[in-house]
Amino acid sequence: MAALLVPEAAAPRGPTETGETTEEAKLSRSLSRLLPGLEADSKLGRRRALEALQRALEAAQPEAPDADPDAAAAAFQGPWVHLLLPRLLRRLADPAEGCRTLAVHLLGLGLRRAARPRDALPRLLPALAARLASPEPARRPPPEACEELRLALVQLLGLAVRLAGAAFAPHLDDAVRALRCTLLDPFAAVRRESCECAAGLARATPDHFHMQSESLIGPLMQSISHQHWKVRVAVIEATGTVIQFGSGKSVDDVLPHFAQRLFDDVPQVRQAVTRVVGGWLLSLRDRYSFFHKLIPLLLSGFHDEIPEIACEATSLWEQVGLQWQTENEEDLKDKLDFASPPPAHHPSPESRPGLGCRELVFRNLSKILPAIWHDIADWVVGTRVKSAQLLAVLLLHAEDHITQHLEPMLRALLRACADEEAAVVCSCAKSAELVGNFVSPEVFLKLILSTLRKSPSPSGLLVLASLIRGCPREALQPHVKGIAMELAQARICQGSENRLYGERLLQCVQAMVSVGREDCRGAGERLLEVLVTVLALWGPEGLGDKVQETLAELAAVEGVDSSQDLFRAHVSPLLEWLAASHQDWTGHSVELLQLDVVLTHSGPALGEALPQLVPILRSCLQPARDPAMRLRLFSTLTGVLLEAPETVDSQGQLHGYLDTLIQDILVPNLQWHAGRTAAAIRTAAVSCLWALVSSGVLSDGQIQDVQEILMPQILTTLEEDSQMTRLISCQIINLFLKTSNGVIDPDKCIKIYPELLKRLDDVSNDVRLAATSALVTWLQRVQREASKCCYETSIQHLYRELLVYLDDPERTVQDAVLEALKAGSVLFPDLLVKETEAVLHKHRSPSHCEQLLQHLQALPPAQ
């Protein structure tokens, strides 16, 4: 039976006949006794035979320290190839998994002990390929169903590769066929081991591997996005080795996948890409053909969030630059012998890239930039961020060579600076600063200002601000006035109502002031116009504090102490600038908001600018002009007049324009017209009048003149629907009466109290109290008149009416009326006693009447 199953061992040959040594013959006889068990029908029998073989092989290993390992390996070679190997290979297809496992283990032992492992490859490789490779890998599972066994088989293949070395070349077909399947194995460990095996195969057979390398790229790229990060790392490293020793044609197929791995969440994966790409740039045979494709991948690592990866990318790039510089020393001889220093305003002269690195970027820039400009507008956020970061790195290397690519560069930056992702905008702003640093402002200003004139945008302003920020002061100095003039143009300065637009416009001014410093003095007026516009349009939206800081910086540049002093220096040109268009203003005019800013920030300077300010106010506050504009302007004027001593009357010259304020501004706007809008304007005019007369800048005589003109209109406004208007009107009348020291016409005076008396029925207690206070002042004013007898009938009527309100439901009104009656009791006390006693019994509570009578009794007798 043994002879039938194992024909090779059926007729043992003697040592002299086969050339076997004594040790080899002894080992052959020992193994021959065990080999028949490998063909047993029972699984247990085969397993026991395999285990016995394992013990025999392990026992046959030389253990003596003085034993010759080469002799032992030579003695093992013959039995291994002729007896063991064929039978163990058949056991790879054994139905029992345990037997297959032992067979793989024994094959590994045999390969390690054999003197010439390569002799086993012609039989071993087809057997391994048969177990690992499926005829249709996309549809059928591999013949070996056990994943642990597939792992062991791949490990066995890797062992054969390591032991055979270059002798493995004739068997590349079988190995590659097996690896194409195992690289896509469902078991992650098999994929990792297959990657190591593929890399080992490439290193072992460099002269022949390039003929088979391309067939491995497809499976490797299918595994590069595997869910296990260790598999992804293994695939990347294996790909690097496969292409390194294989065909450079596959680089184009691999690079898109490598680029995607730069966005991997696992740092080890990104680090693997960096190392592999760096290795290719250093040692790939065809690397000069792929510089423009590999350089962006390595430079992308400069901004990795893990510092170690960024440092490694930087180190590899320096090595690449130095190696390229050495390889091209003849071409760079002049530049090396006459090395130019870093540009005077280089952003980081101490860490300027080496000559080789700069030359590499410059020579490949025209091929790299179009791809970056495309990716910087990609729909994937991560791609845009990486592209923007890479652009800044490239510009730092390219230096003044950027100029030849400037126009498309600025177009790309304009698009990218409008990105919703802050990281993209930040990186592009840095890129624009580098452009400003290395390119002459005469060149970039011509392009960017032309774009802003055609289509003002926040992104355009940000690019301009960044260009200015990066530009050296000496280079910018001749262009400061021109830039300020452009920014002050209405088309740019008022280009949008978007808050972001205002923020970018402000950044332009900040950049001008921070870079130009004292050079901005000649452009201070235009820059102030821009700041006034920003404060007018976007101050209420949160930019007010930033504008104030910029105003303080501009004031320091101009040599004045504060922003108020800055306005003082420029208030006249500012008003002249605004007056140029005031005839066309409406409630929606930006100039109206600008005037508000100038008036509220100029402070005492307004006292010097009255000759320019008052004509603007007179023209804009005529009844024929836009109501919304007049309301806004009255509100601004009221705020200024409330602080008149520190604003419009700082020079004591307001009285010279009092007639204009009263006759040409207030009187027309206090006239009654139907409609809510007209009522609102009357309220604004009344408020403005109150601010004027209560500010303390008018003398009693001037207030008397105002009273003579405006008292009829103010009495009319007591009937307004607006509670505020009625309240302020009462306060104005009270003030008029208090400051009236001359002889008053009784007929005019008598007309006042009935209107005030009506306000005691007002729905607002504040108005009722104000009216009562005004009545007290009126009574006191009548008391000073010589002809009090002319007022007796009116006073009697007033007594009667006031006594009614002495029983008012509101206690505060009762108290106020009581004080009014007490104040007026000195005029005709007997008359008041009579009237009080007549209504005493009619009141719900006689307490206030009794208090009044007690007060009257205490009065001294009339003379």
Side-chain angles (χ1 to χ4, degrees):
M1 176 67 72
L4 292 174
L5 292 174
V6 192
E8 304 93 310
R13 291 166 287 182
T16 57
E17 184 179 344
T18 62
E20 293 179 344
T21 65
T22 304
E23 288 295 327
E24 185 177 353
K26 181 180 177 181
L27 182 59
S28 296
R29 288 194 297 272
S30 173
L31 294 176
S32 297
R33 290 193 296 271
L34 300 173
L35 291 178
L38 295 178
E39 307 296 337
D41 293 334
S42 68
K43 175 175 69 174
L44 184 59
R46 296 193 302 273
R47 178 162 187 162
R48 286 176 177 173
L50 288 167
E51 290 172 348
L53 273 174
Q54 180 180 354
R55 289 191 296 272
L57 290 178
E58 291 174 350
Q61 294 182 7
E63 297 180 359
D66 57 347
D68 185 2
D70 294 336
F76 180 72
Q77 179 68 29
W80 156 248
V81 173
H82 299 295
L83 298 178
L84 273 178
L85 182 62
R87 291 163 178 78
L88 290 177
L89 290 178
R90 285 202 293 272
R91 294 279 64 79
L92 291 179
D94 195 288
E97 183 180 314
C99 294
R100 298 199 302 275
T101 302
L102 285 169
V104 173
H105 177 65
L106 290 172
L107 285 168
L109 284 177
L111 284 176
R112 290 186 184 92
R113 286 196 57 188
R116 298 183 302 279
R118 61 182 177 274
D119 293 349
L121 297 183
R123 294 182 179 181
L124 177 63
L125 263 297
L128 291 179
R131 296 304 298 168
L132 292 172
S134 171
E136 299 180 20
R139 297 182 181 180
R140 296 182 185 178
E144 179 53 64
C146 177
E147 55 187 22
E148 286 82 4
L149 263 175
R150 292 199 300 275
L151 176 61
L153 288 169
V154 176
Q155 290 171 341
L156 181 61
L157 177 59
L159 176 63
V161 171
R162 291 192 298 273
L163 294 175
F168 200 92
H171 311 286
L172 273 174
D173 287 346
D174 288 329
V176 169
R177 183 160 59 90
L179 288 175
R180 281 176 54 84
C181 294
T182 57
L183 283 170
L184 300 175
D185 197 277
F187 188 26
V190 173
R191 294 200 190 202
R192 292 204 308 271
E193 192 65 36
S194 300
C195 290
E196 294 180 11
C197 185
L201 187 62
R203 285 188 289 265
T205 58
D207 296 334
H208 302 82
F209 184 72
H210 65 277
M211 295 183 290
Q212 295 284 350
S213 63
E214 292 184 44
S215 60
L216 291 177
I217 297 300
L220 282 170
M221 293 304 99
Q222 291 182 57
S223 295
I224 201 170
S225 58
H226 193 273
Q227 60 183 353
H228 291 186
W229 69 266
K230 291 184 178 180
V231 173
R232 301 198 295 273
V233 170
V235 169
I236 292 168
E237 293 173 346
T239 303
T241 307
V242 166
I243 291 181
Q244 180 73 48
F245 294 95
S247 172
K249 299 177 183 178
S250 303
V251 173
D252 290 333
D253 300 327
V254 167
L255 288 182
H257 298 279
F258 271 32
Q260 287 300 315
R261 289 308 100 206
L262 289 174
F263 301 98
D264 203 290
D265 294 331
V266 180
Q268 289 88 339
V269 177
R270 302 195 300 273
Q271 188 173 38
V273 174
T274 300
R275 288 175 177 171
V276 169
V277 172
W280 285 348
L281 284 168
L282 287 169
S283 54
L284 190 67
R285 283 193 294 269
D286 300 330
R287 60 184 179 276
Y288 277 61
S289 303
F290 299 107
F291 271 150
H292 66 286
K293 297 180 179 179
L294 296 177
I295 288 173
L297 296 184
L298 183 57
L299 296 186
S300 294
F302 279 33
H303 288 281
D304 196 278
E305 60 188 19
I306 304 299
E308 291 78 7
I309 299 177
C311 289
E312 186 168 1
T314 304
S315 176
L316 284 169
W317 176 239
E318 290 173 355
Q319 295 175 40
V320 171
L322 287 173
Q323 178 177 298
W324 187 87
Q325 181 178 316
T326 303
E327 294 170 350
N328 297 270
E329 195 167 355
E330 287 299 321
D331 292 345
L332 301 175
K333 183 172 176 33
D334 291 342
K335 294 184 179 180
L336 288 171
D337 293 342
F338 307 99
S340 60
H345 299 279
H346 195 282
S348 53
E350 69 285 347
S351 59
R352 186 191 187 194
L355 176 61
C357 296
R358 299 199 309 273
E359 283 293 319
L360 266 176
V361 169
F362 161 58
R363 297 190 181 199
N364 292 277
L365 194 61
S366 60
K367 299 177 183 178
I368 297 174
L369 284 179
I372 292 182
W373 295 332
H374 175 270
D375 288 348
I376 212 168
D378 195 85
W379 67 275
V380 179
V381 173
T383 303
R384 301 201 302 273
V385 172
K386 281 285 186 185
S387 300
Q389 292 172 342
L390 176 58
L391 180 59
V393 177
L394 289 171
L395 295 181
L396 187 62
H397 283 74
E399 295 185 353
D400 56 348
H401 296 297
I402 307 167
T403 307
Q404 58 188 298
H405 307 285
L406 187 59
E407 188 171 357
M409 174 77 69
L410 289 179
R411 284 200 303 266
L413 289 176
L414 285 170
R415 289 195 304 270
C417 284
D419 201 287
E420 296 178 355
E421 187 66 27
V424 176
V425 176
C426 180
S427 295
C428 289
K430 291 180 181 177
S431 296
E433 286 186 30
L434 292 172
V435 173
N437 197 284
F438 295 122
V439 178
S440 168
E442 187 175 354
V443 178
F444 68 69
L445 285 175
K446 186 180 298 183
L447 295 173
I448 189 65
L449 291 179
S450 173
T451 302
L452 284 174
R453 290 188 203 104
K454 293 176 183 176
S455 178
S457 64
S459 61
L461 291 173
L462 177 59
V463 171
L464 176 59
S466 301
L467 289 168
I468 295 171
R469 197 177 298 113
C471 188
R473 177 180 173 182
E474 296 78 9
L476 186 66
Q477 190 271 335
H479 307 280
V480 168
K481 289 185 179 179
I483 297 173
M485 294 265 309
E486 290 291 344
L487 291 177
Q489 294 297 319
R491 179 169 177 77
I492 295 178
C493 199
Q494 305 171 22
S496 171
E497 295 182 359
N498 187 350
R499 182 187 184 278
L500 182 62
Y501 189 92
E503 189 173 342
R504 301 308 190 209
L505 185 61
L506 178 60
Q507 287 177 357
C508 289
V509 179
Q510 290 172 334
M512 291 277 290
V513 175
S514 63
V515 175
R517 303 306 300 165
E518 286 74 14
D519 297 336
C520 292
R521 288 182 176 177
E525 181 182 325
R526 294 290 174 261
L527 294 178
L528 185 57
E529 290 176 6
V530 178
L531 291 175
V532 166
T533 304
V534 174
L535 199 57
L537 291 174
W538 301 285
E541 298 183 26
L543 293 183
D545 293 341
K546 293 182 180 179
V547 174
Q548 294 298 337
E549 293 173 5
T550 310
L551 284 169
E553 293 175 5
L554 184 59
V557 165
E558 295 224 348
V560 295
D561 296 332
S562 65
S563 59
Q564 195 171 82
D565 293 331
L566 181 66
F567 275 94
R568 178 190 292 271
H570 295 286
V571 65
S572 181
L574 286 174
L575 289 174
E576 184 179 347
W577 165 57
L578 293 171
S581 60
H582 76 277
Q583 297 289 350
D584 303 319
W585 289 1
T586 67
H588 302 287
S589 297
V590 175
E591 291 82 359
L592 186 63
L593 301 176
Q594 292 169 331
L595 179 63
D596 179 81
V597 171
V598 173
L599 295 183
T600 53
H601 286 76
S602 296
L606 291 178
E608 305 170 6
L610 287 176
Q612 292 172 284
L613 175 60
V614 173
I616 297 175
L617 296 175
R618 181 178 59 225
S619 172
C620 293
L621 290 174
Q622 292 305 304
R625 299 297 297 275
D626 182 61
M629 178 193 66
R630 286 189 286 154
L631 281 173
R632 182 62 185 259
L633 200 51
F634 265 128
S635 175
T636 302
L637 182 58
T638 300
V640 171
L641 290 174
L642 283 173
E643 300 177 355
E646 290 80 32
T647 55
V648 289
D649 198 45
S650 62
Q651 306 298 313
Q653 299 299 316
L654 182 62
H655 63 86
Y657 300 90
L658 187 60
D659 188 60
T660 301
L661 287 173
I662 300 301
Q663 295 285 6
D664 297 340
I665 295 177
L666 291 177
V667 170
N669 287 283
L670 284 172
Q671 291 180 357
W672 191 90
H673 295 281
R676 293 183 179 180
T677 302
I681 291 174
R682 289 194 297 275
T683 300
V686 168
S687 300
C688 188
L689 175 60
W690 170 246
L692 174 64
V693 297
S694 65
S695 63
V697 298
L698 300 183
S699 65
D700 289 351
Q702 291 169 336
I703 294 178
Q704 180 74 32
D705 294 339
V706 173
Q707 174 189 344
E708 290 293 330
I709 299 170
L710 292 180
M711 181 62 86
Q713 282 90 343
I714 297 302
L715 290 175
T716 303
T717 58
L718 286 172
E719 299 290 340
E720 290 286 345
D721 293 336
S722 169
Q723 173 188 329
M724 180 181 295
T725 307
R726 301 195 303 271
L727 176 62
I728 296 175
S729 298
C730 291
Q731 293 171 340
I732 291 173
I733 292 172
N734 195 355
L735 182 63
F736 281 168
L737 293 173
K738 284 181 179 180
T739 55
S740 178
N741 295 321
V743 177
I744 188 171
D745 184 355
D747 292 335
K748 293 181 180 180
C749 187
I750 288 174
K751 292 179 180 179
I752 296 174
Y753 87 90
E755 302 300 328
L756 292 173
L757 199 56
K758 293 177 184 177
R759 291 303 99 216
L760 292 182
D761 288 325
D762 202 280
V763 295
S764 168
N765 284 335
D766 292 336
V767 175
R768 299 173 74 191
L769 293 174
T772 305
S773 177
L775 284 171
V776 171
T777 306
W778 184 83
L779 289 168
Q780 292 170 347
R781 181 69 185 82
V782 172
Q783 186 178 348
R784 295 198 300 271
E785 291 295 318
S787 55
K788 290 191 287 291
C789 58
C790 300
Y791 295 92
E792 182 175 358
T793 304
S794 298
I795 296 298
Q796 182 178 10
H797 178 259
L798 180 58
Y799 284 163
R800 288 176 181 172
E801 294 298 324
L802 288 177
L803 285 170
V804 173
Y805 296 103
L806 200 61
D807 195 34
D808 196 89
E810 288 292 334
R811 181 60 180 257
T812 54
V813 175
Q814 285 181 312
D815 295 339
V817 171
L818 177 61
E819 294 303 319
L821 287 169
K822 288 180 179 180
S825 62
V826 297
L827 292 170
F828 302 101
D830 295 337
L831 188 58
L832 181 56
V833 169
K834 178 181 176 182
E835 295 293 337
T836 303
E837 290 176 344
V839 299
L840 178 63
H841 66 283
K842 297 179 181 179
H843 285 196
R844 291 169 298 175
S845 173
S847 61
H848 283 80
C849 289
E850 292 171 354
Q851 292 179 40
L852 179 58
L853 290 173
Q854 291 174 5
H855 173 77
L856 289 169
Q857 291 174 2
L859 287 176
Q863 299 295 325

